[in-house]
Amino acid sequence: MRPGGIQVEALAKVFEDRKRGLIRAVDGVSFSCAPGRIFGLLGPNGAGKTTALRILSTVLRPSGGTVTVNGFDSVRDAEQVRASIGFLSGATALYERSTAREVIGFFGELFGIDRSRVADRVDELSEMLKMEAFLDQACGKLSAGQRQKVSIARTIVHDPPVIILDEPTANLDVLVAREVVLFVASERDRGKTVLLSTHIMSEVDRLCDDVAIIHEGRLLLAGTKDEVVQRGGGSSVEDIFFQLVPVDEDVAGGSS
Protein backbone atom coordinates (compact mmCIF):
# COMPACT_ATOMS: atom_id res chain seq x y z
CA MET A 1 0.00 0.00 0.00
CA ARG A 2 1.34 3.45 -0.91
CA PRO A 3 2.11 5.95 1.88
CA GLY A 4 -0.96 7.81 3.06
CA GLY A 5 -3.33 4.84 3.12
CA ILE A 6 -5.24 3.11 5.91
CA GLN A 7 -5.14 -0.63 6.63
CA VAL A 8 -7.56 -2.12 9.17
CA GLU A 9 -7.18 -5.78 10.13
CA ALA A 10 -9.59 -7.71 12.37
CA LEU A 11 -10.38 -4.56 14.34
CA ALA A 12 -12.32 -5.09 17.57
CA LYS A 13 -13.52 -2.87 20.40
CA VAL A 14 -15.27 -4.23 23.47
CA PHE A 15 -16.96 -2.08 26.12
CA GLU A 16 -18.22 -3.31 29.49
CA ASP A 17 -21.72 -2.26 30.50
CA ARG A 18 -22.96 -2.94 34.04
CA LYS A 19 -26.40 -3.98 32.85
CA ARG A 20 -25.69 -5.58 29.49
CA GLY A 21 -22.24 -7.00 30.13
CA LEU A 22 -19.67 -6.97 27.33
CA ILE A 23 -20.64 -5.04 24.21
CA ARG A 24 -18.73 -5.66 20.99
CA ALA A 25 -19.03 -2.25 19.33
CA VAL A 26 -16.61 -3.32 16.57
CA ASP A 27 -16.23 -7.02 15.87
CA GLY A 28 -13.44 -8.23 13.57
CA VAL A 29 -13.69 -5.50 10.92
CA SER A 30 -11.11 -5.37 8.09
CA PHE A 31 -10.82 -2.91 5.20
CA SER A 32 -8.30 -0.69 3.45
CA CYS A 33 -8.38 2.87 2.09
CA ALA A 34 -5.99 3.95 -0.65
CA PRO A 35 -4.56 7.37 -1.48
CA GLY A 36 -6.49 9.27 -4.12
CA ARG A 37 -9.75 7.55 -3.23
CA ILE A 38 -12.75 8.22 -1.01
CA PHE A 39 -13.86 5.35 1.21
CA GLY A 40 -17.41 5.46 2.60
CA LEU A 41 -18.17 3.71 5.88
CA LEU A 42 -21.92 3.04 5.90
CA GLY A 43 -24.14 1.74 8.63
CA PRO A 44 -27.26 2.50 10.70
CA ASN A 45 -27.26 4.27 14.03
CA GLY A 46 -25.23 2.19 16.51
CA ALA A 47 -23.43 0.17 13.83
CA GLY A 48 -19.96 1.00 15.17
CA LYS A 49 -18.90 3.58 12.60
CA THR A 50 -17.90 6.34 15.00
CA THR A 51 -16.17 3.88 17.33
CA ALA A 52 -14.08 2.64 14.39
CA LEU A 53 -13.18 6.18 13.35
CA ARG A 54 -12.16 7.07 16.88
CA ILE A 55 -9.84 4.08 16.97
CA LEU A 56 -8.31 5.09 13.65
CA SER A 57 -7.68 8.57 15.02
CA THR A 58 -6.11 7.18 18.26
CA VAL A 59 -8.89 8.61 20.46
CA LEU A 60 -9.70 5.02 21.48
CA ARG A 61 -7.44 2.01 21.80
CA PRO A 62 -8.60 -1.17 20.07
CA SER A 63 -9.42 -4.30 22.04
CA GLY A 64 -8.03 -6.39 19.21
CA GLY A 65 -6.71 -6.21 15.68
CA THR A 66 -4.46 -3.61 14.11
CA VAL A 67 -4.78 -0.25 12.39
CA THR A 68 -2.04 1.21 10.19
CA VAL A 69 -2.34 4.83 9.05
CA ASN A 70 0.21 6.35 6.68
CA GLY A 71 2.54 3.47 7.57
CA PHE A 72 2.21 3.95 11.34
CA ASP A 73 0.59 1.65 13.90
CA SER A 74 -2.27 3.40 15.73
CA VAL A 75 -1.14 2.12 19.13
CA ARG A 76 2.64 1.90 18.88
CA ASP A 77 3.04 5.05 16.75
CA ALA A 78 0.05 7.07 17.97
CA GLU A 79 1.86 10.42 17.81
CA GLN A 80 2.89 9.89 14.18
CA VAL A 81 -0.65 8.80 13.31
CA ARG A 82 -2.10 11.97 14.83
CA ALA A 83 0.36 14.05 12.80
CA SER A 84 -0.70 12.22 9.62
CA ILE A 85 -4.45 12.68 9.90
CA GLY A 86 -7.14 15.30 10.00
CA PHE A 87 -10.09 14.00 12.03
CA LEU A 88 -13.45 15.77 11.90
CA SER A 89 -15.66 14.55 14.73
CA GLY A 90 -19.34 15.31 14.88
CA ALA A 91 -18.97 16.14 18.59
CA THR A 92 -16.24 18.80 18.24
CA ALA A 93 -17.01 22.29 19.55
CA LEU A 94 -15.48 25.68 18.69
CA TYR A 95 -14.18 28.46 20.89
CA GLU A 96 -17.19 30.77 20.89
CA ARG A 97 -15.30 34.04 21.54
CA SER A 98 -12.48 33.41 19.07
CA THR A 99 -12.79 34.35 15.41
CA ALA A 100 -12.66 31.74 12.71
CA ARG A 101 -9.22 33.02 11.73
CA GLU A 102 -7.95 32.69 15.31
CA VAL A 103 -9.28 29.15 15.74
CA ILE A 104 -7.73 27.88 12.51
CA GLY A 105 -4.45 29.65 13.23
CA PHE A 106 -4.34 28.27 16.77
CA PHE A 107 -4.68 24.71 15.50
CA GLY A 108 -2.07 25.39 12.85
CA GLU A 109 0.41 26.31 15.58
CA LEU A 110 -0.59 23.24 17.60
CA PHE A 111 0.37 21.13 14.60
CA GLY A 112 3.77 22.82 14.51
CA ILE A 113 3.29 25.05 11.49
CA ASP A 114 5.64 28.02 11.58
CA ARG A 115 3.87 31.27 12.51
CA SER A 116 5.02 32.91 9.31
CA ARG A 117 3.28 30.14 7.37
CA VAL A 118 0.11 29.89 9.47
CA ALA A 119 -1.40 33.15 8.18
CA ASP A 120 -0.88 32.08 4.56
CA ARG A 121 -2.41 28.68 5.27
CA VAL A 122 -5.47 30.28 6.88
CA ASP A 123 -5.95 32.44 3.78
CA GLU A 124 -5.59 29.37 1.53
CA LEU A 125 -8.27 27.47 3.44
CA SER A 126 -10.51 30.52 3.56
CA GLU A 127 -10.46 30.70 -0.23
CA MET A 128 -10.91 26.94 -0.65
CA LEU A 129 -13.91 26.80 1.70
CA LYS A 130 -15.36 30.23 0.80
CA MET A 131 -14.92 31.64 4.30
CA GLU A 132 -13.78 35.19 3.48
CA ALA A 133 -17.04 36.83 4.55
CA PHE A 134 -16.93 35.49 8.11
CA LEU A 135 -13.25 34.76 8.71
CA ASP A 136 -12.97 37.54 11.30
CA GLN A 137 -16.28 36.95 13.04
CA ALA A 138 -16.55 35.27 16.45
CA CYS A 139 -17.45 31.59 16.12
CA GLY A 140 -20.34 32.04 18.55
CA LYS A 141 -22.09 34.22 15.96
CA LEU A 142 -21.66 31.86 13.01
CA SER A 143 -24.34 29.71 11.40
CA ALA A 144 -24.16 25.91 11.52
CA GLY A 145 -22.74 25.77 8.01
CA GLN A 146 -20.12 28.42 8.72
CA ARG A 147 -19.10 26.63 11.93
CA GLN A 148 -18.72 23.37 10.02
CA LYS A 149 -16.42 25.06 7.52
CA VAL A 150 -14.27 26.34 10.40
CA SER A 151 -14.17 22.82 11.85
CA ILE A 152 -13.09 21.37 8.51
CA ALA A 153 -10.44 24.05 8.06
CA ARG A 154 -8.86 23.41 11.42
CA THR A 155 -9.02 19.67 10.75
CA ILE A 156 -6.82 19.97 7.65
CA VAL A 157 -4.78 23.08 8.47
CA HIS A 158 -1.60 20.95 8.56
CA ASP A 159 -2.39 19.46 5.12
CA PRO A 160 -2.46 15.83 6.30
CA PRO A 161 -2.23 12.90 3.84
CA VAL A 162 -5.21 11.18 5.52
CA ILE A 163 -8.57 12.83 6.19
CA ILE A 164 -11.22 11.17 8.38
CA LEU A 165 -14.68 12.75 8.38
CA ASP A 166 -17.58 11.70 10.61
CA GLU A 167 -20.86 12.80 8.99
CA PRO A 168 -19.34 15.97 7.46
CA THR A 169 -22.63 17.30 6.01
CA ALA A 170 -24.99 16.37 8.85
CA ASN A 171 -27.55 19.09 9.60
CA LEU A 172 -26.25 21.43 6.90
CA ASP A 173 -28.43 23.23 4.38
CA VAL A 174 -28.22 22.02 0.80
CA LEU A 175 -25.93 24.82 -0.44
CA VAL A 176 -23.31 24.41 2.29
CA ALA A 177 -23.52 20.63 2.03
CA ARG A 178 -22.77 20.91 -1.69
CA GLU A 179 -19.73 23.09 -0.99
CA VAL A 180 -18.44 20.55 1.54
CA VAL A 181 -18.99 17.69 -0.91
CA LEU A 182 -17.05 19.54 -3.62
CA PHE A 183 -14.24 20.25 -1.18
CA VAL A 184 -14.00 16.58 -0.15
CA ALA A 185 -13.83 15.57 -3.80
CA SER A 186 -11.04 18.09 -4.41
CA GLU A 187 -9.00 16.60 -1.57
CA ARG A 188 -9.35 13.16 -3.18
CA ASP A 189 -8.20 14.66 -6.46
CA ARG A 190 -5.10 16.00 -4.68
CA GLY A 191 -4.16 12.42 -3.80
CA LYS A 192 -5.42 12.36 -0.21
CA THR A 193 -6.84 9.31 1.47
CA VAL A 194 -10.38 10.24 2.53
CA LEU A 195 -12.46 8.08 4.85
CA LEU A 196 -15.94 9.31 5.65
CA SER A 197 -18.92 8.09 7.57
CA THR A 198 -22.28 9.06 6.12
CA HIS A 199 -25.88 7.94 5.86
CA ILE A 200 -26.67 10.17 2.87
CA MET A 201 -26.79 7.86 -0.12
CA SER A 202 -26.63 10.66 -2.68
CA GLU A 203 -23.24 11.58 -1.23
CA VAL A 204 -22.11 7.98 -1.48
CA ASP A 205 -23.10 7.88 -5.15
CA ARG A 206 -21.40 11.18 -5.89
CA LEU A 207 -18.26 10.90 -3.76
CA CYS A 208 -17.24 7.41 -2.81
CA ASP A 209 -14.94 5.16 -4.81
CA ASP A 210 -15.10 2.35 -2.25
CA VAL A 211 -17.61 1.48 0.45
CA ALA A 212 -18.04 -0.79 3.45
CA ILE A 213 -21.36 -1.60 5.10
CA ILE A 214 -21.27 -2.47 8.79
CA HIS A 215 -24.07 -3.48 11.13
CA GLU A 216 -23.91 -4.30 14.85
CA GLY A 217 -20.16 -3.90 14.71
CA ARG A 218 -19.61 -6.43 11.93
CA LEU A 219 -18.56 -5.92 8.34
CA LEU A 220 -21.28 -7.08 5.95
CA LEU A 221 -19.82 -6.12 2.59
CA ALA A 222 -16.90 -4.08 1.26
CA GLY A 223 -15.32 -3.20 -2.07
CA THR A 224 -15.65 -0.68 -4.86
CA LYS A 225 -19.17 0.59 -5.42
CA ASP A 226 -19.54 -1.62 -8.49
CA GLU A 227 -18.25 -4.67 -6.60
CA VAL A 228 -20.66 -4.09 -3.71
CA VAL A 229 -23.61 -3.75 -6.08
CA GLN A 230 -22.57 -6.87 -8.01
CA ARG A 231 -21.95 -9.01 -4.94
CA GLY A 232 -25.14 -7.84 -3.28
CA GLY A 233 -27.24 -8.50 -6.34
CA GLY A 234 -28.94 -5.11 -6.34
CA SER A 235 -29.12 -2.07 -8.57
CA SER A 236 -27.35 0.48 -6.32
CA VAL A 237 -25.41 0.81 -3.08
CA GLU A 238 -28.57 2.14 -1.44
CA ASP A 239 -30.48 -0.91 -2.62
CA ILE A 240 -27.82 -3.23 -1.17
CA PHE A 241 -27.73 -1.27 2.08
CA PHE A 242 -31.44 -1.75 2.69
CA GLN A 243 -31.21 -5.42 1.72
CA LEU A 244 -28.53 -6.00 4.36
CA VAL A 245 -29.79 -3.77 7.18
CA PRO A 246 -33.18 -4.57 8.79
CA VAL A 247 -35.84 -2.09 7.73
CA ASP A 248 -36.74 -1.23 11.32
CA GLU A 249 -33.24 0.17 11.98
CA ASP A 250 -32.84 3.91 12.39
CA VAL A 251 -30.70 4.53 9.33
CA ALA A 252 -31.26 8.26 9.27
CA GLY A 253 -29.67 9.02 12.61
CA GLY A 254 -26.09 9.89 13.49
CA SER A 255 -23.38 7.27 13.48
CA SER A 256 -21.95 5.51 16.49
Side-chain angles (χ1 to χ4, degrees):
M1 183 175 58
R2 306 200 321 264
I6 299 173
Q7 188 72 41
V8 177
E9 294 287 350
L11 183 64
K13 182 62 180 179
V14 180
F15 296 101
E16 186 172 357
D17 184 274
R18 290 184 179 180
K19 294 183 179 180
R20 296 184 291 171
L22 295 180
I23 299 173
R24 302 191 69 85
V26 181
D27 190 3
V29 170
S30 300
F31 60 82
S32 62
C33 313
R37 297 181 72 82
I38 297 176
F39 188 99
L41 191 60
L42 317 180
N45 194 28
K49 302 188 302 297
T50 294
T51 298
L53 297 189
R54 288 175 177 167
I55 294 172
L56 266 62
S57 63
T58 78
V59 174
L60 294 175
R61 290 174 65 95
S63 303
T66 60
V67 173
T68 304
V69 179
N70 197 31
F72 300 108
D73 183 89
S74 66
V75 175
R76 186 177 61 250
D77 309 312
E79 185 174 344
Q80 291 94 325
V81 169
R82 287 191 288 269
S84 300
I85 67 172
F87 176 43
L88 178 69
S89 168
T92 304
L94 296 174
Y95 302 107
E96 299 289 299
R97 296 184 180 180
S98 297
T99 66
R101 184 190 301 275
E102 289 169 342
V103 168
I104 301 166
F106 174 70
F107 275 84
E109 292 187 25
L110 284 181
F111 278 111
I113 302 175
D114 187 86
R115 284 193 174 185
S116 62
R117 168 62 178 146
V118 167
D120 290 338
R121 180 59 175 158
V122 172
D123 288 338
E124 288 176 7
L125 291 169
S126 176
E127 183 177 353
M128 290 168 64
L129 289 164
K130 300 180 181 178
M131 299 169 55
E132 296 94 337
F134 59 88
L135 192 60
D136 292 303
Q137 292 184 27
C139 291
K141 297 182 179 180
L142 301 182
S143 68
Q146 291 169 338
R147 291 169 66 89
Q148 185 72 330
K149 287 185 177 183
V150 176
S151 294
I152 292 172
R154 74 173 180 185
T155 294
I156 62 164
V157 65
H158 55 309
D159 201 21
V162 177
I163 301 173
I164 300 173
L165 307 171
D166 193 4
E167 302 283 359
T169 64
N171 303 315
L172 299 183
D173 67 58
V174 64
L175 294 178
V176 176
R178 181 177 184 274
E179 290 179 353
V180 171
V181 166
L182 292 173
F183 170 75
V184 173
S186 72
E187 289 296 281
R188 183 259 316 277
D189 294 342
R190 293 180 61 215
K192 302 296 182 73
T193 300
V194 182
L195 171 60
L196 67 87
S197 155
T198 184
H199 64 271
I200 303 174
M201 292 299 164
S202 61
E203 289 182 6
V204 175
D205 289 336
R206 182 169 183 177
L207 281 177
C208 295
D209 303 293
D210 311 290
V211 296
I213 300 173
I214 64 173
H215 179 50
E216 296 182 342
R218 297 182 179 180
L219 181 69
L220 302 182
L221 198 58
T224 67
K225 284 190 296 188
D226 288 343
E227 289 171 344
V228 165
V229 170
Q230 184 176 15
R231 292 172 188 168
S235 59
S236 65
V237 173
E238 181 176 16
D239 185 26
I240 303 305
F241 182 90
F242 284 105
Q243 286 182 28
L244 295 174
V245 176
V247 294
D248 59 344
E249 294 287 352
D250 177 16
V251 298
S255 64
S256 61

